[in-house]
Amino acid sequence: MKRRFHKMHGLGNDFVIFDCRGEPLAMDTVRARAIADRRTGIGCDQLILLEPSEAADLRMRIFNSDGGEVEACGNAARCVALIAGGASRIETAGGILGACADGRSATVDMGTPRFGWSDIPLAYAMDTAAMPIGWENLQQPFAVNVGNPHIVFFTDDPDSVDLARLGPLIEKDPLFPSRINVNLASVDDGAIRLRVWERGAGLTQACGTGACATAVAAISRKLVSSPVEVRLPGGALAIEWQPGSAIRMTGPATHVFTGEIDL
């Protein structure tokens, strides 16, 4: 069985996208992991399925490179917005996103952040704005759900932290029953520098929901004001947010090639 796909990326966070609106495609953990494998498959951080939606213009399903299905992906949403063209509404497991494509960039309404401990979710109640916990020198993080769960640590130098070692330990800590995305951030001249460990994908060049979560945390702590530029290894995103409102993310999306795979 041969299926056509698009290879796209947002700031180096790369995707294999199957448009299944005309023909369904069965997907499970084993198949998703095989397609995402960079040696024996196509290779990607996330696999995306576009399906029909009764609630929006289309539905986006997201599988991390470990084969697990997740709720949201901001960089993928911008890529899907380019495929949809113009203004569109995208259904995800984390909610419906409003998007508008403009040339090679897109703006996505990422919805309203949630701060309750059970919304993250955490295993037990605690203050999510300054969690009384830590891992080595990473202390008092900020937790927020922006369609998927994130924890944000502010540090003087994100590059000095061994995130490849600490990331999976924090991601799989029993405190996080749905696992967690781990963000390390610093603030300099009103902008945010960010590194992200994505649950199920590891270190990536960029993470759209991580940029949103970190911007919300920094604005909440009055470290920056909106809009704020979030600089990731793959490039920069512009994030707008005011307390009580939805998050707006703007950034590039790139179509690399269209191909065909024998499944």
Side-chain angles (χ1 to χ4, degrees):
M1 178 178 65
K2 293 185 177 182
R3 290 297 295 261
R4 188 170 178 264
F5 67 88
H6 301 285
K7 184 66 184 290
M8 302 185 73
H9 75 86
L11 300 181
N13 182 193
D14 64 332
F15 314 103
V16 170
I17 302 176
F18 291 94
D19 192 339
C20 309
R21 289 175 288 179
E23 181 182 0
L25 175 62
M27 190 59 59
D28 57 22
T29 299
V30 174
R31 173 173 278 182
R33 187 186 299 128
I35 293 171
D37 190 289
R38 295 189 184 276
R39 292 184 179 273
T40 58
I42 302 170
C44 61
D45 292 321
Q46 279 89 22
L47 169 69
I48 309 298
L49 300 186
L50 305 184
E51 298 178 341
S53 170
E54 295 183 357
D57 295 307
L58 72 168
R59 179 187 183 204
M60 174 174 72
R61 294 179 64 196
I62 307 152
F63 295 82
N64 278 336
S65 56
D66 69 350
E69 188 167 2
V70 295
E71 302 95 330
C73 179
N75 287 326
R78 296 198 314 278
C79 292
V80 172
L82 260 63
I83 292 175
S88 60
R89 297 175 74 246
I90 303 167
E91 179 187 356
T92 74
I96 294 179
L97 311 178
C100 185
D102 181 14
R104 296 182 64 182
S105 69
T107 297
V108 181
D109 181 335
M110 296 293 292
T112 303
R114 293 177 288 159
F115 304 99
W117 70 270
S118 60
D119 294 323
I120 305 302
L122 303 179
Y124 48 86
M126 69 173 66
D127 178 9
T128 60
M131 299 170 67
I133 57 169
W135 289 262
E136 298 181 6
N137 293 329
L138 301 177
Q139 299 291 322
Q140 290 193 310
F142 189 107
V144 59
N145 190 310
V146 292
N148 55 11
H150 284 265
I151 189 170
V152 182
F153 297 90
F154 290 97
T155 179
D156 291 336
D157 182 10
D159 293 327
S160 68
V161 178
D162 188 356
L163 189 54
R165 177 178 63 85
L166 285 175
L169 296 178
I170 300 171
E171 173 197 348
K172 298 173 183 176
D173 191 284
L175 177 60
F176 309 110
S178 298
R179 298 186 295 165
I180 199 83
N181 296 283
V182 184
N183 302 266
L184 297 184
S186 63
V187 175
D188 185 30
D189 292 332
I192 297 171
R193 186 158 60 95
L194 178 63
R195 296 176 65 210
V196 184
W197 174 272
E198 289 196 52
R199 59 173 180 167
L203 291 170
T204 57
Q205 287 293 99
C207 177
T209 57
C212 292
T214 302
V216 166
I219 293 168
S220 296
R221 290 188 175 181
K222 302 187 185 308
L223 302 176
V224 299
S225 57
S226 176
V228 61
E229 182 180 69
V230 181
R231 300 166 183 165
L232 299 116
L237 295 170
I239 309 297
E240 301 173 60
W241 179 71
Q242 297 293 340
S245 66
I247 309 165
R248 286 172 56 85
M249 173 190 62
T250 301
T254 303
H255 188 281
V256 183
F257 64 87
T258 299
E260 191 175 69
I261 183 173
D262 188 346
L263 296 174

